[in-house]
Amino acid sequence: MKPLSLLLTVALDLVAAVSAGPAVIECWFVEDASGSNLAKRPAALLLRQGPGGPPPRLDLDPKLYLRVHVVLTVLTHTPAPRVRLGQDAMLDLSFAYMPPSPKAASSLASGPPPFGLEWRRQHLGKGHLLLAATPGLDEQIPVAREGAVAFATWNDDEPWGPWTGNGTFWLPAVQPFQEGTYLATVHLPYLQGQVTLELAVYKPPKVSLMPAPLVWAAPGEAPPELLCRVSRFYPSDGLEVEWELRGGPEGGSRKAGGQSWLSALSHHSDGSVSLSGHLRPPPVTVDQHGAHYACLVHHPSLPALGRRAEVTLEVAGLSRPSLEDGVGLFLSSFLLLGLIKMLGWVAAYLSTYKDSKEKKAQ
């Protein structure tokens, strides 16, 4: 006999618990398989917050509409957390349980039911059980991996519900290999709910430019090669290094001429990487005196404007002594004069001491 289709409508008694987005719970589809007996099959019901009720179905008798009570919700407010390399990851998880009916609640023992919590990671095609927690039965669960800790507890102990719980997951000093998809599963008697989180690790680069802060060249000659060091960043993908020349006869900022290239990546023990950007500038002209070469770095971990480092171009023969140069020359001359006088005093003292010692000897 062909099973009779039933349309399910949902009473969102826990609207606040599912308002963060879609949630999946376990429910039962009931179908009349034999004409006299009802058969139930487990299924996943996707709940989405939205206006209005179910659309009308002209092919179904309204008597076949069932009203389903939301029993278990599991959710997170951070489905795609981003954690800086080396810092702790805190993946929040909360869940709520409502007995399906007052009659079912009265048949349960007073207080929230026992529950189990699992956190797993899937990365590069491999799955790992990181933590399994069953409050009150600690001796029966495996030891957590990678220093992971879960705050597995009911937040309240009302006699007949509803009850809310906390399964927040803490992972210390996150490394790149800990990126991936995290599956959080809450187990209740005859019920199971699961959410998925995508953890990403990042570290912004440090940018330095050498030689600094000045680079010298004679008219018609090329300045020395510029080295832009981009240090200890993650991930390695998405890095861009640009060279700019600001000032000079054309004014403003423009792409620097010359030959540029990037070095190979170097890897560090914490999982971060470094590389160097090189620029071999073209020969300079007199008009470029005082212009600035800039290394501009873009990376997913940086703001949209990126990060930059600059050096100033000095054309030989055009620079004049600055106030700082004059002060430096004055101080150097003063110290040199004082040193000469001190040496003269020492020589005179030694000569007098030697003459006095010879007279005593006679």
Side-chain angles (χ1 to χ4, degrees):
M1 179 177 181
K2 184 178 179 180
L4 179 63
S5 300
L6 299 182
L7 181 64
L8 305 181
T9 65
V10 179
L12 293 179
D13 292 23
L14 300 175
V15 172
V18 297
S19 61
V24 178
I25 67 169
E26 182 174 323
C27 65
W28 299 98
F29 282 130
V30 180
E31 56 189 25
D32 188 356
S34 62
S36 58
N37 297 323
L38 293 178
K40 61 181 182 179
R41 297 180 180 179
L45 177 62
L46 177 63
L47 304 181
R48 293 184 182 271
Q49 185 182 12
R57 290 286 302 273
L58 300 179
D59 58 328
L60 292 178
D61 187 338
K63 296 180 180 180
L64 298 179
Y65 278 68
L66 298 181
R67 191 170 181 83
V68 178
H69 191 89
V70 178
V71 177
L72 174 65
T73 60
V74 182
L75 64 97
T76 178
H77 297 285
T78 55
R82 296 179 71 246
V83 181
R84 187 176 179 125
L85 178 64
Q87 295 187 353
D88 299 348
M90 191 73 71
L91 310 184
D92 79 278
L93 179 74
S94 58
F95 49 93
Y97 174 67
M98 169 74 78
S101 65
K103 182 179 179 181
S106 62
S107 64
L108 299 174
S110 177
F115 73 94
L117 173 67
E118 287 185 356
W119 278 93
R120 296 177 178 269
R121 179 177 67 240
Q122 293 180 349
H123 186 54
L124 299 177
K126 298 181 179 180
H128 306 279
L129 175 62
L130 299 178
L131 183 145
T134 306
L137 300 174
D138 294 343
E139 68 279 1
Q140 300 183 13
I141 63 176
V143 177
R145 300 176 57 180
E146 302 173 14
V149 176
F151 304 95
T153 181
W154 289 108
N155 294 331
D156 47 46
D157 55 356
E158 293 292 330
W160 312 116
W163 300 286
T164 60
N166 181 14
T168 299
F169 182 74
W170 177 70
L171 194 62
V174 172
Q175 301 299 311
F177 76 90
Q178 293 170 309
E179 282 187 313
T181 302
Y182 283 73
L183 304 177
T185 306
V186 176
H187 301 273
L188 290 176
Y190 310 108
L191 288 174
Q192 175 179 301
Q194 185 179 84
V195 294
T196 302
L197 300 87
E198 295 290 339
L199 175 65
V201 179
Y202 75 95
K203 185 177 183 180
K206 297 180 180 179
V207 181
S208 60
L209 189 53
M210 297 177 60
L214 301 174
V215 59
W216 293 83
E221 295 182 356
E225 182 179 300
L226 299 179
L227 174 65
C228 181
R229 183 67 175 167
V230 187
S231 306
R232 294 186 174 274
F233 62 93
Y234 186 86
S236 59
D237 299 333
L239 182 79
E240 297 180 3
V241 178
E242 300 176 355
W243 291 95
E244 293 182 350
L245 181 62
R246 180 167 56 86
E250 301 179 10
S253 296
R254 58 197 179 279
K255 183 178 180 181
Q259 183 182 7
S260 62
W261 68 95
L262 297 177
S263 70
L265 288 172
S266 58
H267 297 262
H268 305 287
S269 58
D270 65 350
S272 62
V273 295
S274 299
L275 60 74
S276 298
H278 299 260
L279 175 67
R280 190 171 293 160
V284 301
T285 63
V286 173
D287 295 336
Q288 290 178 326
H289 177 70
H292 300 275
Y293 277 101
C295 169
L296 180 59
V297 175
H298 295 280
H299 188 258
S301 64
L302 293 174
L305 296 178
R307 185 167 292 173
R308 63 193 298 131
E310 292 188 355
V311 295
T312 303
L313 174 62
E314 297 283 351
V315 179
L318 297 181
S319 60
R320 299 179 179 178
S322 62
L323 178 61
E324 290 80 4
D325 295 334
V327 173
L329 290 173
F330 172 76
L331 293 176
S332 299
S333 301
F334 181 78
L335 293 175
L336 181 60
L337 179 61
L339 179 61
I340 293 174
K341 287 186 176 182
M342 185 178 66
L343 292 176
W345 293 336
V346 172
Y349 173 77
L350 292 177
S351 178
T352 303
Y353 177 75
K354 183 177 180 181
D355 292 343
S356 174
K357 189 173 182 181
E358 289 177 354
K359 288 180 181 181
K360 289 181 179 181
Q362 293 176 358

